Amino acid sequence: MPTEHLFIDAALAASDMARRIAVVLGDAIETRGVATIALSGGRSPRPVLEALSQAELDWEKVIVTLVDERWVAPDHADSNERLIRETLLQGKAAKARFVGMKNDAADAYAGQAECEAAFSRLPWPLDIVLLGMGEDGHTASLFPQGDELADGLSTSALTLAATPPAAPHQRMSMTAKAILSSRHIFLQIGGPAKKSVYDRALAGGPVEELPIRLALNQNAVSVEAWISE
Ligand SMILES: O=C(O)[C@H](O)[C@@H](O)[C@H](O)[C@H](O)COP(=O)(O)O
């Protein structure tokens, strides 16, 4: 059962999440000399990343990577790398080391081996994996009805190329194994539609139906959910 942080206002939830992230990253730097965080894309993280960018941290000791990526150029409007560079990696936080997913391969499937090699060099377990969730219960790029979902839930690999059933662009995604190889999972749930999917996911059932369950139906990794109305 996740630790839940409930907020009426999404902006307050975002700043509280950013504050908590900064505390965990600071503790990691103090304890191990390095902190690693994997970030999701989409719309929800933007206010969290803008707030986190202002945190007083030894940013040069922070490694920032992605939970998933759309297979588009890093300057494309839909690029998660672009989102991270525009919001988090500014000012003091620009000193952080960024490890992206997109490489020069023509498509995600051809690019997976190079991405896997880069991810295997990260200092596992990560300190934080920040997850969002779609209203279909997907997380990362692990989608219900996705052709690669079963592989994404079972493989020992860290990364997976996938084609979403109903979203643009091929994706690169962290696998369930990679997502659960973290000290903390932080989850953003904004609005009533996502809250009802979250509650349904918590009630139990197959991971394949609501892939967010890969994070909720386990006790090995601590999960905190920031829930706003
Ligand atoms: O690349 C992505 O799109 C994300 O990683 C994805 O898994 C996201 O977290 C959900 O789709 C929620 O997206 P929103 O925050 O935009 O609702």
Side-chain angles (χ1 to χ4, degrees):
M1 180 67 187
T3 300
E4 296 183 348
H5 308 278
L6 306 174
F7 291 87
I8 292 175
D9 178 70
L12 287 176
S15 57
D16 187 69
M17 189 184 218
R19 182 197 53 74
R20 176 86 176 111
I21 291 171
V23 167
V24 171
L25 295 181
D27 289 351
I29 291 167
E30 202 171 309
T31 311
R32 289 178 292 278
V34 66
T36 309
I37 183 168
L39 298 167
S40 287
R43 293 178 305 276
S44 307
R46 183 174 284 274
V48 179
L49 300 175
E50 287 166 346
L52 180 60
S53 181
Q54 302 303 314
E56 288 295 338
L57 281 172
D58 282 344
W59 282 102
E60 64 277 6
K61 295 177 182 170
V62 179
I63 299 172
V64 177
T65 190
L66 290 171
V67 169
D68 66 343
E69 181 59 285
R70 296 82 180 273
W71 206 256
V72 295
D75 62 355
H76 189 288
D78 293 344
S79 164
N80 288 341
E81 174 171 343
R82 175 173 168 176
L83 170 72
I84 304 307
R85 291 191 187 281
E86 286 180 347
T87 55
L88 176 61
L89 303 180
Q90 298 286 326
K92 299 179 277 264
K95 289 185 191 149
R97 181 177 145 219
F98 179 73
V99 177
M101 286 180 145
K102 179 69 172 62
N103 52 52
D104 294 337
D107 63 54
Y109 299 85
Q112 192 272 338
E114 183 181 335
C115 186
E116 184 76 13
F119 265 57
S120 66
R121 292 191 289 270
L122 292 171
W124 300 91
L126 308 185
D127 291 293
I128 299 172
V129 168
L130 191 157
L131 295 180
M133 186 192 73
E135 292 182 16
D136 60 357
H138 84 261
T139 194
S141 288
L142 302 173
F143 290 85
Q145 317 302 324
D147 291 342
E148 294 86 3
L149 177 62
D151 190 15
L153 295 175
S154 61
T155 180
S156 60
L158 297 166
T159 60
L160 172 87
T163 302
H169 314 306
Q170 284 182 358
R171 303 290 187 92
M172 190 66 70
S173 181
M174 279 171 72
T175 58
K177 172 186 160 101
I179 290 168
L180 295 173
S181 300
S182 180
R183 294 182 175 88
H184 300 273
I185 290 174
F186 286 1
L187 174 58
Q188 270 188 295
I189 300 290
K194 287 189 181 183
K195 179 63 167 63
S196 70
V197 173
Y198 167 81
D199 288 341
R200 191 152 59 88
L202 273 181
V207 180
E208 293 74 11
E209 181 195 16
L210 297 173
I212 191 62
R213 284 177 173 147
L214 75 91
L216 300 178
N217 293 358
Q218 57 81 37
N219 298 308
V221 181
S222 108
V223 180
E224 296 184 51
W226 276 259
I227 301 168
S228 57
E229 292 180 6

